[in-house]
Amino acid sequence: MAIVIRTAKEIAKMRRSGFALRNVLDVLRNSIAPGMTTMDLEKIAEAKIAEAGAVSAFKGYHDYPCVLCTSVNEEVVHGIPSAKRTLQEGDVVSIDCGLIIDGYYADSATTLPVGKISAPAQKLLDATEQSLQAAISVVRPGATLGDVGAAVQEVVEAAGFSVVRDFVGHGIGTEMHEEPQVPNYGRKAQGLRLRQGMVLAIEPMVNAGGHAVRVLEDGWTAVTVDGSLSAHFEHTIAVGADGAEVLTA
Ligand code: MF3
Ligand code: CO
């Protein structure tokens, strides 16, 4: 499938999906606390998605069982919520959620601290979030996907961390994963040129140690090979005339 340019009307619909998703993640941010399980987070999200009149983009996707991915500490992405996984003070949890309203998708992730976290863990969260903001700030018609990846990589590597290569961002619209792929690494001025009306999910995954990841026996949970902490921030953005419009902000 080719890269789709969305009309203003379609982007207005995606704004609604993005707004509803932002609310789900905000509620989770305000609820998370030591002693909760990742399944508790799942239940809250499930209720909020229903309340918004939305449908989960994740549940049933390649048989994925939940509306959230909850990836704790050295888990990078695609951690499956579990009633057996109790969060402890000092943990960091990457929460990824996607939903559909009126046929249009939104996808966003954030890494949340559980209670008080260590200074190095906070530095990882800050660098990852800043790398996403840096990527968003280079988006405009005429910029390239290489500019986007290079912006992420510059912030992450300056902080002494590594960008995950095995998973990438993506186009999004009437499917969760559309063309193009959006790597979190690259070279300025290389790759596809962005055009007004493209909608992308930009999602840096950053490891405190090396970039290598592996998938656990459950077939989903990706973890760092070296056991180091990992963080993940994601926004769905539309390429506007003067820059990015963040639909999940
Ligand atoms: N949010 C992920 C992405 O950006 C997809 C989650 S996989 C699922 O690609 F199975 F949980 F849906
Ligand atoms: Co995504």
Short mmCIF file of all heavy atoms in Angstrom, two decimals, residues 135-141 143 194-198 237-246:
data_model
loop_
_atom_site.label_atom_id
_atom_site.label_comp_id
_atom_site.label_asym_id
_atom_site.label_seq_id
_atom_site.Cartn_x
_atom_site.Cartn_y
_atom_site.Cartn_z
N ALA A 135 12.40 15.10 17.35
CA ALA A 135 11.93 14.54 16.08
C ALA A 135 10.72 15.31 15.59
O ALA A 135 10.63 15.67 14.40
CB ALA A 135 11.58 13.06 16.26
N ILE A 136 9.79 15.58 16.50
CA ILE A 136 8.56 16.30 16.12
C ILE A 136 8.91 17.69 15.60
O ILE A 136 8.30 18.18 14.64
CB ILE A 136 7.59 16.35 17.33
CG1 ILE A 136 7.03 14.95 17.60
CG2 ILE A 136 6.48 17.37 17.09
CD1 ILE A 136 6.26 14.83 18.91
N SER A 137 9.92 18.30 16.21
CA SER A 137 10.24 19.69 15.84
C SER A 137 10.88 19.81 14.46
O SER A 137 10.86 20.89 13.88
CB SER A 137 11.11 20.34 16.91
OG SER A 137 12.39 19.78 16.86
N VAL A 138 11.42 18.71 13.90
CA VAL A 138 11.98 18.81 12.53
C VAL A 138 10.93 18.49 11.45
O VAL A 138 11.19 18.68 10.26
CB VAL A 138 13.22 17.90 12.31
CG1 VAL A 138 14.32 18.25 13.31
CG2 VAL A 138 12.88 16.43 12.37
N VAL A 139 9.76 18.00 11.89
CA VAL A 139 8.73 17.62 10.91
C VAL A 139 8.14 18.86 10.24
O VAL A 139 7.74 19.81 10.92
CB VAL A 139 7.60 16.81 11.59
CG1 VAL A 139 6.40 16.67 10.66
CG2 VAL A 139 8.11 15.44 12.02
N ARG A 140 8.15 18.86 8.93
CA ARG A 140 7.49 19.89 8.11
C ARG A 140 7.53 19.38 6.68
O ARG A 140 8.32 18.46 6.36
CB ARG A 140 8.21 21.24 8.21
CG ARG A 140 9.66 21.15 7.82
CD ARG A 140 10.36 22.50 7.77
NE ARG A 140 11.77 22.27 7.49
CZ ARG A 140 12.27 21.93 6.30
NH1 ARG A 140 11.47 21.79 5.24
NH2 ARG A 140 13.56 21.72 6.14
N PRO A 141 6.70 19.92 5.79
CA PRO A 141 6.78 19.48 4.39
C PRO A 141 8.19 19.72 3.86
O PRO A 141 8.76 20.79 4.09
CB PRO A 141 5.75 20.38 3.69
CG PRO A 141 4.80 20.78 4.77
CD PRO A 141 5.62 20.92 6.00
N ALA A 143 10.93 18.13 4.83
CA ALA A 143 11.90 17.42 5.69
C ALA A 143 11.86 15.95 5.32
O ALA A 143 10.92 15.49 4.66
CB ALA A 143 11.54 17.62 7.15
N LEU A 194 8.80 14.28 3.52
CA LEU A 194 7.47 14.41 4.11
C LEU A 194 6.63 15.40 3.31
O LEU A 194 7.16 16.36 2.75
CB LEU A 194 7.58 14.90 5.56
CG LEU A 194 8.41 14.00 6.48
CD1 LEU A 194 8.45 14.58 7.89
CD2 LEU A 194 7.85 12.58 6.51
N ARG A 195 5.33 15.11 3.29
CA ARG A 195 4.39 16.00 2.60
C ARG A 195 3.24 16.33 3.54
O ARG A 195 2.86 15.51 4.38
CB ARG A 195 3.83 15.30 1.36
CG ARG A 195 4.83 15.23 0.21
CD ARG A 195 4.30 14.35 -0.91
NE ARG A 195 2.99 14.80 -1.40
CZ ARG A 195 2.17 14.05 -2.12
NH1 ARG A 195 2.49 12.79 -2.42
NH2 ARG A 195 1.02 14.51 -2.54
N GLN A 196 2.67 17.50 3.35
CA GLN A 196 1.51 17.89 4.15
C GLN A 196 0.41 16.83 4.01
O GLN A 196 0.14 16.38 2.89
CB GLN A 196 0.98 19.25 3.70
CG GLN A 196 -0.14 19.76 4.59
CD GLN A 196 -0.53 21.20 4.29
OE1 GLN A 196 0.12 21.89 3.52
NE2 GLN A 196 -1.61 21.63 4.91
N GLY A 197 -0.18 16.43 5.14
CA GLY A 197 -1.26 15.45 5.11
C GLY A 197 -0.81 14.04 5.46
O GLY A 197 -1.64 13.16 5.67
N MET A 198 0.51 13.81 5.51
CA MET A 198 0.98 12.52 6.02
C MET A 198 0.73 12.48 7.53
O MET A 198 0.87 13.50 8.21
CB MET A 198 2.47 12.34 5.76
CG MET A 198 2.80 12.07 4.31
SD MET A 198 4.61 11.84 4.15
CE MET A 198 4.72 11.63 2.38
N ILE A 237 1.31 12.13 14.89
CA ILE A 237 1.42 13.51 14.42
C ILE A 237 0.97 13.62 12.96
O ILE A 237 1.13 12.68 12.19
CB ILE A 237 2.86 14.05 14.57
CG1 ILE A 237 3.85 13.31 13.66
CG2 ILE A 237 3.37 13.95 16.01
CD1 ILE A 237 4.18 14.06 12.39
N ALA A 238 0.42 14.77 12.63
CA ALA A 238 0.09 15.06 11.23
C ALA A 238 1.08 16.10 10.71
O ALA A 238 1.45 17.03 11.43
CB ALA A 238 -1.34 15.60 11.13
N VAL A 239 1.52 15.92 9.48
CA VAL A 239 2.41 16.91 8.86
C VAL A 239 1.53 18.07 8.36
O VAL A 239 0.71 17.88 7.46
CB VAL A 239 3.21 16.31 7.69
CG1 VAL A 239 4.15 17.36 7.09
CG2 VAL A 239 3.99 15.08 8.14
N GLY A 240 1.68 19.23 9.01
CA GLY A 240 0.92 20.42 8.62
C GLY A 240 1.77 21.34 7.76
O GLY A 240 2.94 21.05 7.51
N ALA A 241 1.18 22.44 7.30
CA ALA A 241 1.88 23.36 6.40
C ALA A 241 3.14 23.94 7.03
O ALA A 241 4.15 24.11 6.37
CB ALA A 241 0.94 24.49 5.98
N ASP A 242 3.08 24.20 8.35
CA ASP A 242 4.22 24.87 9.02
C ASP A 242 4.96 23.95 9.97
O ASP A 242 5.87 24.38 10.67
CB ASP A 242 3.73 26.07 9.85
CG ASP A 242 2.80 26.97 9.05
OD1 ASP A 242 3.17 27.35 7.94
OD2 ASP A 242 1.69 27.25 9.55
N GLY A 243 4.53 22.69 10.09
CA GLY A 243 5.19 21.79 11.02
C GLY A 243 4.23 20.72 11.47
O GLY A 243 3.17 20.54 10.87
N ALA A 244 4.64 20.00 12.52
CA ALA A 244 3.82 18.88 12.98
C ALA A 244 2.66 19.38 13.83
O ALA A 244 2.82 20.30 14.63
CB ALA A 244 4.67 17.93 13.80
N GLU A 245 1.52 18.73 13.66
CA GLU A 245 0.44 18.88 14.64
C GLU A 245 0.41 17.57 15.43
O GLU A 245 0.21 16.49 14.85
CB GLU A 245 -0.91 19.09 13.98
CG GLU A 245 -2.01 19.21 15.04
CD GLU A 245 -3.44 19.24 14.50
OE1 GLU A 245 -3.61 19.25 13.27
OE2 GLU A 245 -4.37 19.25 15.31
N VAL A 246 0.61 17.66 16.74
CA VAL A 246 0.62 16.45 17.57
C VAL A 246 -0.84 16.11 17.90
O VAL A 246 -1.51 16.86 18.61
CB VAL A 246 1.45 16.65 18.85
CG1 VAL A 246 1.47 15.36 19.66
CG2 VAL A 246 2.87 17.09 18.51
#
